[in-house]
Amino acid sequence: MRWNPFTGAYLADPAQVWRGLLDSPGGVHHDEALGLWLITRHADVRRALGDTESFRNALTLAPVYDVCPEALAVILQIDAPPTTAAADPPVHPRTRRALRATFANTADRVEQRYGAIVRRRVDELVARLVARAGQQVDLVSEFTTELPLLVLLDLLGVPERDIARVRAWADGQIALVWGRPEPAEQVRLAQGLLEFWRYCQALVRDRLDGGGPGDGYVDQLIAYRGGDDEVLTVAEVSSIVFNLLVAGHETTAGLLAHALDQALTDPDRWPAIAAEPHRVPAFLTETLRFAPAIDGWLRVTSRPVTLDGVTIPAGARCLLLIGAANRDPAVFAHPDRFDPQRTDATDHLSFGHGPHFCIGAALARLEAGIALTRLAAAVPGLRLAPGHRRSYQPNVAFRAHRGLPVVVEAAAPAVQQTAA
Ligand code: HEM
């Protein structure tokens, strides 16, 4: 079957392509061009995410195409050991324990530990937008990608002067691994990734040499390690930081952009968010289902696996199409309808499932919830710029808006009076 995630319909409306795949016979398709097995149905994607014996994470962060030899030579210098999302047992449970012990990952703990940081950063960004009243602004560059990055830098103790570099490296990793860059670009991005890895190593080394324990996240990981390589090596501490700097910002940026897109597309939704903030969590859950920030995720089979009557050989790379699974009519009523009141949205797979389930889910929800509520309260008249057409970055995993241009109107549009 032919499926091109880098051009055409997929970049404007991937859901149309998922619908075609879900409607065609069988839930497993082989894409010759990319050499990937596409898994589309909810039950199969859920199984593959959870069955860590048959579906391995070893190649989850390896490029989806054959990189050119020059770029490969650079990538091979990145000696970051696999942790969490890139690891399989026994490394995965060990490094995940380290994350669970150090990173708040329930709604209550996230609110308690990170709530004040998130509110402070949201308020700063909202104030900046309010100051642009009457202007056209791109919410992607000015709000949705800024917030999660700033929050993460606060949590990890990364100096604010490095924001631009970290953003460029993280964007570069996403393009290098899950995009389709030309060879010269591959080399440039690979060099950036190597620098990024060296930067994370230096960040950890600074804390180790810093004299006296601090209370930042890196210090907590170091304290958890307790000088014992069997618990966690220093390289693994750096690798966790390296992964968090990407996993924790590009994803939440996507959730926030998709939520704003959905909220602003229908003129009734934006005022409803300001008026009924208690409905925001359900709105976000439906956004996660309908427009996941990660809509495809890689696994590699460790042995032949039969799904839907199709046998996938051992060593095959599979793309679990979370976006398609979230619209499987076997699980979701009227799956192509965005409905924040639906009761089945919680069955979405957007944070994964099973042993690798997202550690940052609660933080992502907290950030997006506060951001949406405070922005709606401060700028009730926010609206999409006239003529805006939705379009995404070419990528098989991260569904990121190229832009979300809006007009910052402070006041809500006047309600039309009907003659009595
Ligand atoms: C809307 C936002 C987010 C989405 C859609 C998302 C999505 C996912 C998905 C699909 C996985 C499963 C990976 C797998 O099965 O291999 C995952 C794992 C993970 N996520 Fe998130 N994520 C989000 C936010 C965050 C944040 C804010 C952080 C941290 C600051 C984070 C850190 C992680 C980590 C460390 C893992 C690996 C867990 C493991 O392998 O045990 N994520 N995420």
Side-chain angles (χ1 to χ4, degrees):
M1 87 143 278
R2 194 69 204 97
W3 167 81
N4 192 339
F6 302 114
T7 55
Y10 212 76
L11 298 189
D13 185 9
Q16 211 184 355
V17 180
W18 300 330
R19 173 66 38 230
L21 287 166
L22 283 166
D23 289 348
S24 59
V28 178
H29 310 268
H30 188 248
D31 180 70
E32 301 289 338
L34 278 171
L36 293 175
W37 292 81
L38 307 179
I39 302 180
T40 57
R41 292 187 179 159
H42 189 278
D44 297 333
V45 171
R46 191 170 185 277
R47 164 166 174 209
L49 284 166
D51 176 359
T52 51
E53 282 302 313
S54 311
F55 292 90
R56 299 295 200 157
N57 274 50
L59 298 181
T60 293
L61 307 185
V64 282
Y65 54 91
D66 291 330
V67 288
C68 69
E70 294 79 6
L72 187 61
V74 180
I75 291 172
L76 290 175
Q77 294 175 54
I78 304 172
D79 51 358
T83 56
T84 60
D88 291 305
V91 173
H92 175 254
R94 182 171 55 76
T95 51
R96 186 172 170 99
R97 262 197 304 281
L99 263 184
R100 285 180 61 91
T102 49
F103 200 85
N105 58 9
T106 61
D108 288 351
R109 286 178 60 206
V110 159
E111 168 59 50
Q112 197 188 352
R113 301 241 308 253
Y114 310 140
I117 293 174
V118 172
R119 285 187 183 81
R120 182 167 60 80
R121 289 305 194 176
V122 167
D123 288 347
E124 269 171 35
L125 293 177
V126 167
R128 250 166 49 187
L129 285 178
V130 169
R132 308 269 306 270
Q135 295 177 26
Q136 182 165 318
V137 170
D138 179 9
L139 283 183
V140 167
S141 57
E142 310 261 345
F143 192 67
T144 62
T145 57
E146 283 288 282
L147 175 68
L149 187 55
L150 290 169
V151 168
L152 208 57
L153 298 191
D154 287 344
L155 297 190
L156 298 185
V158 173
E160 214 162 314
R161 62 172 182 274
D162 294 333
I163 288 184
R165 286 204 289 170
V166 172
R167 181 187 294 117
W169 287 329
D171 287 350
Q173 179 174 19
I174 287 173
L176 179 67
V177 175
W178 297 280
R180 170 116 318 184
E182 294 298 321
E185 183 66 355
Q186 292 171 25
V187 177
R188 194 184 68 79
L189 296 175
Q191 281 162 344
L193 196 58
L194 177 60
E195 266 179 61
F196 189 17
W197 167 234
R198 299 271 182 258
Y199 176 86
C200 295
Q201 287 180 297
L203 207 66
V204 172
R205 209 174 313 114
D206 278 359
R207 298 308 314 149
L208 278 169
D209 300 344
D215 60 357
Y217 181 71
V218 177
D219 300 293
Q220 287 171 39
L221 268 180
I222 291 169
Y224 173 87
R225 186 182 108 74
D228 185 349
D229 283 351
E230 305 230 329
V231 176
L232 207 60
T233 65
V234 171
E236 283 171 342
V237 173
S238 307
S239 180
I240 287 176
V241 172
F242 187 42
N243 289 339
L244 279 179
L245 277 173
V246 179
H249 107 255
E250 301 277 359
T251 48
T252 310
L255 168 60
L256 191 48
H258 290 299
L260 283 163
D261 181 11
Q262 290 306 325
L264 295 169
T265 299
D266 179 327
D268 293 336
R269 289 185 192 146
W270 191 240
I273 284 177
E276 301 178 310
H278 62 280
R279 292 193 194 274
V280 166
F283 190 90
L284 289 174
T285 305
E286 174 64 343
T287 302
L288 283 158
R289 180 196 74 84
F290 191 80
I294 291 184
D295 59 26
W297 202 240
L298 291 166
R299 287 287 195 267
V300 59
T301 49
S302 60
R303 54 192 178 204
V305 187
T306 302
L307 284 180
D308 274 330
V310 176
T311 300
I312 306 173
R317 291 190 91 182
C318 303
L319 186 67
L320 319 184
L321 283 172
I322 291 170
N326 284 354
R327 290 177 183 237
D328 186 339
V331 176
F332 303 99
H334 309 292
D336 293 327
R337 186 186 298 165
F338 182 86
D339 175 8
Q341 302 198 27
R342 63 167 63 241
T343 53
D344 51 17
T346 48
D347 288 327
H348 72 76
L349 296 172
S350 302
F351 288 126
H353 166 74
H356 288 274
F357 184 83
C358 179
I359 284 280
L363 174 60
R365 294 187 60 103
L366 180 82
E367 284 185 52
I370 294 173
L372 218 55
T373 316
R374 295 199 168 194
L375 186 58
V379 195
L382 194 72
R383 57 185 165 84
L384 286 173
H388 164 64
R389 292 175 68 135
R390 203 176 277 143
S391 148
Y392 302 105
Q393 301 286 359
N395 204 273
V396 300
F398 288 76
R399 192 65 38 224
H401 289 255
R402 284 181 195 269
L404 205 53
V406 291
V407 180
V408 183
E409 299 285 8
V415 178
Q416 291 277 318
Q417 297 290 322
T418 41

